[in-house]
Amino acid sequence: MKRLFPAALMLAIVALAVYPVFATGYGVRATLQVFMWIALAGSWNVISGLTGYVSFGHVAFFGAGAYTGGILMASAGWPWPTAALAGGLAATILALVIGGPCLRLKGPYFAIAMLGLNEVLRALVSYFERLTGGGNGLSMPTLDATIPIYYAMGLTAVAVTVTARLIIGSRFGLRLMTIREDEMAAEAMGIPTFQHKLLAFLISAIGPGIAGALTARDQGYIEPLSVFPLATTITMIVMVLFGGKGTVWGPVLGAAVLFVAQEMVWARYPYIHPLLFGAIIVGVVLAMPRGVLGLFQTKYRLPRTI
Amino acid sequence: MNVVITPAMVGQVIISGILSGALYAMVALGLALIFGVMRIINVAHGPLLMLGAYTTYFLATRLHVNPYVTVPISMAVLFALGLLLERTLVFRVIDAPELSSLLLTFGISIALVNGAQLAFTSDLRSVEYLVGSWVVGPFAFSKSRVVAFLFAAALTAAAFLFLTYTRTGKAIRATSQSRDVAMVCGIDVGAVHRLTFGIASALAAAGGALIAVIVAIQPEMGQMWTFKSFLVIVLGGAGNYPGAFVGGMLLGLVEQLASLFLTTQLSEVVAYVLLVIVLLVRPTGLLGGRQT
Amino acid sequence: MVAVLEVVDVRKSFGGVRAVNGVSLTLERGRIYGLIGPNGSGKTTLFNCITGVERCDAGRIRLFGEPIERLPPYRIAQRGVGRTFQMIRVFPELTALENLLVVTTGPHDAAQARARELLSFVKLEGLADEYAGNLSYGQQKLVEFVRMLMRDPSLVLLDEPAAGVNRTLLGELLDAVRRLRDAGKTVLLVEHDMKVVMGLCETVFVLDHGEKIAEGPPGVIQADEQVIEAYFGR
């Protein structure tokens, strides 16, 4: 079983790499979205799954990346790959500005602070209308770049997953987990918890930042509601909780399963969509707090880096 | 921005601040109770307020009940819902890590908001009842806000009296100080938890009911209220019930003062920045309280 | 010869309650000290002030001559202060081995070797890969104990090490403490079990209502009138 896994993984990656050659436009777009969710969920997992500090406003980084990238592309004519990286950078800077003060607080207070972040950013975007187009949104020159963006997003998803794997398999990752387990004891053992939390937070902002800029390019148009919706944070959280928080592949599993379910089943009933997600969160928290992979991990004594 | 600021304007702003402050205080008190007694961050607090608002809306517009008569009715309805939620879901995460209770109430809040969207649509609704202002000298008092203030002040005072002088109230305070000691003293802690959640929901409902007459309501209105209630608690000190009152007043005043100089859009940003500053400078709140 | 720890007139209040009201003590290298007193006398608060968990309202605390009263807990730990807790605080979802590994930052192999060595020291090497949360009370106590030793602290603070521990295990723990002392470390323990204190400690400090009311060898303390009064009333 152990030897099968890397081979299967290689196969999957090759398959995904050649997929655009023979797939439909819809297929490419859908898979692109799965990549995006993997990048988002995987990043959320790094801060919230490992340290237990729930980032309720994580979509703020997605939006920040989208707007930074969008503005650079629309007003300054930057090519989208560079703009995407700039989006990641902007998100990281935002994480530093927010995380610096907020992570000094204990878990619950941090969660509260993050709750309001979303609304604040949306308000700021509306306020700085000249730059961001305000409520009217921001348009970019049309460009058919779906396939290159497919690869770019795929690469982002891979990068996020690899980063998660490296962190979870390292002592740094273990230390992040001690923050979740018992922050006070961790401090008493000489672990500088604030620095660790901050680093994890910064790392968790890059993926969403880049994904946001890429999405902006792909859609060609962004507006505050489309890039700062609470629904995105909710979806991220559900995916990680369902798949298994604190695991490497949990967010990937959650993203894939829930996205497919969403497209196939719930897209027909868009109105109960959030309700279902709310119910799933409640169900997972009560019955399966460690998610699907967490459950397997405990039952079959799987390694931590699953 | 060239605006001349007169003393009358400042006075008006202070009055408006006090009027909204009492409302903030009352709603935040509910949240403070849940946090103090059960150590749970109830992200669903705002949505409960929203349901209270809708209860009033429907009673007022469909059954033509006087909106202010609906306040106790909304409170009763949400009290029952709060009890139900605690009894079925919330009690399971009381001893779980904070993450679990946070996520659970988050999940409940999503379900409530979306349920409301399905049932009521996202259209803005409002209850037209008390329109206009009473003018006294250079000051204008919005009628609906004044009445809301009176209700909120009365309910908050009643809540304090309840907590301080009645046996149940003392049981609640004892449990919030130390659950284990309370158990040893023969207090039914489970019942205290249910009651607390119910009372908190009722206070939120009262807030919603009063607001329904002031502004237009829609299913998503709760989120900002959750956040601001937390802000109030942080300002006043977690677990410090009188602090909720001070914090509420402070928030009301700061918001109104800020609106003098900034557009209303930025007033939310002001609240947020205020939160971050207070958390950094004095994490135990202005009146001091318990850290988690 | 600079003292390992100097606590100078430390005060700490919570609301109106003076938990620690002007306590001073000095710890020398290579000795075992006891801190006793009735419940509520301020022992744990004093521990918390020394380890940085609480910030004292007044007074000075010096570690090897350097002031530490304003330092955050992790810095104090990094300077060589190790501590265990009254209620065991292992990391339940980490394995026993990981509980120890997490504490150090040096090269992985050296850290692993040391962690395994410490686990064998307390005969737990077989449980190295077991989640700490699944271990028995006594086993968790031992894990917490050796976890504290990973950084090779010079000053060891033990909060009620004998609590809830059976006689055999207790004997092993006390032996381990004596070996720490022989290796030149300084130990300060808070304990309610008088037999442990009298048998292990060379000097005992007695606190009552936040003040130090006696200090000296166990035999002298036992006979001290003030101490007897504090514990048993008039």
Side-chain angles (χ1 to χ4, degrees):
Chain A
M1 184 63 192
K2 252 190 184 171
R3 252 166 279 164
L4 269 178
F5 186 67
L9 191 59
M10 278 277 87
L11 201 64
I13 292 183
V14 169
L16 286 169
V18 300
Y19 181 59
V21 174
F22 52 87
T24 62
Y26 169 74
V28 171
R29 283 224 124 88
T31 320
L32 200 163
Q33 285 218 283
V34 176
F35 291 157
M36 180 193 79
W37 286 114
I38 292 177
L40 289 176
S43 297
W44 190 83
N45 188 37
V46 167
I47 179 74
S48 302
L50 293 181
T51 68
Y53 272 62
V54 183
S55 170
F56 276 136
H58 222 67
V59 73
F61 301 123
F62 181 79
Y67 266 97
T68 307
I71 291 173
L72 287 173
M73 284 184 273
S75 314
W78 281 35
W80 63 262
T82 339
L85 289 175
L89 182 64
T92 312
I93 294 176
L94 179 65
L96 188 62
V97 168
I98 299 291
C102 294
L103 285 170
R104 290 185 200 276
L105 320 166
K106 291 307 171 225
Y109 293 110
F110 172 76
I112 298 161
M114 291 305 285
L115 206 64
L117 183 63
N118 219 36
E119 295 303 312
V120 165
L121 280 178
R122 208 191 306 177
L124 283 174
V125 163
S126 300
Y127 184 72
F128 290 106
E129 261 196 85
R130 259 182 308 141
L131 195 60
T132 64
N136 297 323
L138 190 68
S139 294
M140 276 151 274
T142 45
L143 180 67
D144 179 20
T146 307
I147 301 219
I149 291 189
Y150 170 94
Y151 286 111
M153 195 70 90
L155 208 61
T156 312
V158 167
V160 168
T161 310
V162 167
T163 307
R165 170 65 180 79
L166 289 174
I167 291 179
I168 291 176
S170 72
R171 266 184 293 170
F172 174 66
L174 279 181
R175 268 174 275 173
L176 292 179
M177 289 182 230
T178 64
I179 296 176
R180 177 189 66 202
E181 304 277 284
D182 192 339
E183 188 166 1
M184 189 197 172
E187 283 230 14
M189 295 299 122
I191 296 174
T193 53
F194 171 69
Q195 282 88 318
H196 278 65
K197 284 184 280 188
L198 189 60
L199 189 55
F201 197 51
L202 293 179
I203 293 174
S204 78
I206 305 176
I210 295 180
L214 289 175
T215 307
R217 173 60 270 170
D218 190 45
Q219 312 274 28
Y221 169 74
I222 51 175
E223 51 161 7
L225 273 173
S226 70
V227 292
F228 288 120
L230 186 59
T232 305
T233 305
I234 296 172
T235 311
M236 253 190 267
I237 294 178
V238 176
M239 286 174 171
V240 175
L241 286 186
F242 176 80
K245 67 173 161 70
T247 64
V248 177
W249 295 99
V252 179
L253 178 69
V257 168
L258 287 175
F259 181 78
V260 168
Q262 194 176 310
E263 286 293 295
M264 289 182 13
V265 179
W266 303 337
R268 286 169 222 204
Y269 313 101
Y271 299 119
I272 48 171
H273 191 185
L275 187 67
L276 270 168
F277 270 175
I280 292 179
I281 292 180
V282 171
V284 168
V285 168
L286 291 179
M288 213 174 49
R290 300 183 57 203
V292 170
L293 279 191
L295 208 65
F296 282 134
Q297 215 176 29
T298 325
K299 205 164 170 213
Y300 299 110
R301 311 228 74 209
L302 296 173
R304 191 181 286 295
T305 52
I306 267 293
Chain B
M1 251 187 10
N2 288 321
V3 178
V4 176
I5 297 180
T6 66
M9 284 169 80
V10 175
Q12 175 76 60
V13 149
I14 292 180
I15 291 169
S16 304
I18 295 177
L19 290 183
S20 53
L23 212 49
Y24 283 140
M26 178 182 69
V27 175
L29 180 61
L31 199 61
L33 278 170
I34 296 181
F35 187 58
V37 174
M38 302 160 77
R39 286 270 169 284
I40 283 181
I41 299 209
N42 182 20
V43 181
H45 200 63
L48 291 170
L49 178 150
M50 176 266 296
L51 289 177
Y54 271 93
T55 310
T56 292
Y57 171 78
F58 282 110
L59 288 173
T61 54
R62 300 285 162 85
L63 298 181
H64 303 291
V65 181
N66 182 315
Y68 292 110
V69 170
T70 68
V71 171
I73 304 178
S74 284
M75 288 178 75
V77 168
L78 268 300
F79 179 80
L81 180 62
L83 277 182
L84 182 68
L85 283 173
E86 206 284 338
R87 216 170 174 303
T88 53
L89 298 172
V90 180
F91 84 96
R92 296 174 201 268
V93 292
I94 290 187
D95 281 319
E98 268 151 3
L99 182 61
S100 297
S101 58
L102 210 47
L103 290 169
L104 180 77
T105 55
F106 181 63
I108 295 175
S109 79
I110 302 171
L112 287 177
V113 172
N114 191 233
Q117 282 168 330
L118 285 176
F120 312 135
T121 81
S122 283
D123 295 340
L124 289 170
R125 317 277 183 137
S126 62
V127 176
E128 300 268 318
Y129 186 67
L130 213 51
V131 184
S133 315
W134 287 306
V135 181
V136 175
F139 305 125
F141 303 97
S142 151
K143 291 184 190 174
S144 53
R145 283 190 194 270
V146 171
V147 178
F149 170 81
L150 292 171
F151 265 89
L155 284 167
T156 312
F160 276 122
L161 289 174
F162 171 76
L163 284 173
T164 318
Y165 294 114
T166 66
R167 249 185 66 180
T168 322
K170 290 187 193 178
I172 291 179
R173 281 188 313 152
T175 311
S176 89
Q177 286 193 358
S178 169
R179 186 150 64 111
D180 297 322
V181 174
M183 277 200 280
V184 166
C185 290
I187 294 178
D188 181 354
V189 168
V192 167
H193 286 164
R194 283 192 288 277
L195 194 62
T196 305
F197 209 86
I199 293 178
S201 308
L203 287 171
L210 294 166
I211 290 168
V213 184
I214 302 175
V215 294
I217 63 175
Q218 33 104 343
E220 295 87 18
M221 66 187 284
Q223 205 198 339
M224 222 23 192
W225 276 92
T226 308
F227 176 67
K228 286 189 182 170
S229 300
F230 279 117
L231 176 51
V232 167
I233 294 180
V234 164
L235 285 175
N240 177 352
Y241 303 132
F245 181 73
V246 172
M249 284 301 167
L250 198 59
L251 178 62
L253 284 169
V254 168
E255 262 194 345
Q256 292 297 324
L257 277 169
S259 73
L260 260 189
F261 304 102
L262 302 165
T263 72
T264 42
Q265 277 175 335
L266 287 189
S267 74
E268 287 175 359
V269 181
V270 166
Y272 193 76
V273 170
L274 183 62
L275 173 73
V276 174
I277 291 177
V278 173
L279 283 175
L280 278 178
V281 169
R282 225 172 122 75
T284 48
L286 293 173
L287 285 196
R290 211 174 320 145
Q291 287 201 318
T292 40
Chain C
M1 182 75 164
V2 75
V4 170
L5 186 74
E6 287 169 84
V7 174
V8 181
D9 200 29
V10 163
R11 289 165 206 279
K12 176 74 189 171
S13 300
F14 295 105
V17 178
R18 295 216 200 117
V20 176
N21 196 14
V23 171
S24 300
L25 46 89
T26 305
L27 304 184
E28 305 289 349
R29 197 168 170 272
R31 306 186 57 144
I32 302 180
Y33 297 86
L35 183 62
I36 65 175
N39 276 327
S41 50
K43 309 188 293 293
T44 303
T45 309
L46 186 60
F47 252 36
N48 286 343
C49 287
I50 295 173
T51 54
V53 170
E54 300 279 1
R55 187 169 274 197
C56 51
D57 300 329
R60 294 244 171 290
I61 303 178
R62 282 190 276 267
L63 182 71
F64 294 113
E66 301 284 325
I68 60 170
E69 67 270 358
R70 291 260 166 274
L71 291 181
Y74 78 91
R75 279 230 183 282
I76 296 179
Q78 285 173 352
R79 288 201 185 187
V81 177
R83 151 185 207 165
T84 63
F85 294 90
Q86 208 173 339
M87 313 274 212
I88 309 182
R89 294 172 88 144
V90 291
F91 302 121
E93 290 197 29
L94 267 57
T95 66
L97 187 67
E98 285 168 343
N99 260 273
L100 271 60
L101 274 180
V102 142
V103 170
T104 58
T105 48
H108 190 76
D109 295 327
Q112 263 223 333
R114 179 168 169 78
R116 288 199 188 276
E117 188 191 313
L118 280 171
L119 283 175
S120 346
F121 179 52
V122 288
K123 305 192 190 68
L124 286 180
E125 66 274 13
L127 292 169
D129 294 322
E130 188 60 56
Y131 286 120
N134 293 341
L135 300 177
S136 74
Y137 184 90
Q139 290 166 334
Q140 287 186 9
K141 197 120 193 170
L142 289 172
V143 169
E144 207 201 14
F145 186 72
V146 292
R147 180 182 71 181
M148 186 243 330
L149 293 177
M150 273 296 281
R151 290 200 108 126
D152 201 25
S154 321
L155 174 61
V156 170
L157 300 174
L158 303 173
D159 203 340
E160 300 200 31
V165 170
N166 66 57
R167 294 206 54 86
T168 330
L169 187 55
L170 184 58
E172 286 173 22
L173 262 175
L174 299 182
D175 269 336
V177 172
R178 284 190 196 96
R179 269 186 293 211
L180 291 178
R181 184 262 320 268
D182 296 336
K185 300 193 189 301
T186 310
V187 179
L188 174 65
L189 53 90
V190 165
E191 195 38 78
H192 281 294
D193 186 335
M194 283 307 137
K195 270 191 283 193
V196 167
V197 175
M198 299 309 166
L200 189 63
C201 305
E202 295 149 29
T203 305
V204 177
F205 304 105
V206 186
L207 290 190
D208 185 30
H209 287 98
E211 294 181 10
K212 185 176 75 174
I213 58 171
E215 170 181 348
V220 171
I221 294 294
Q222 262 182 323
D224 185 306
E225 277 175 21
Q226 269 194 299
V227 173
I228 297 173
E229 231 177 74
Y231 270 101
F232 301 112
R234 238 148 261 179

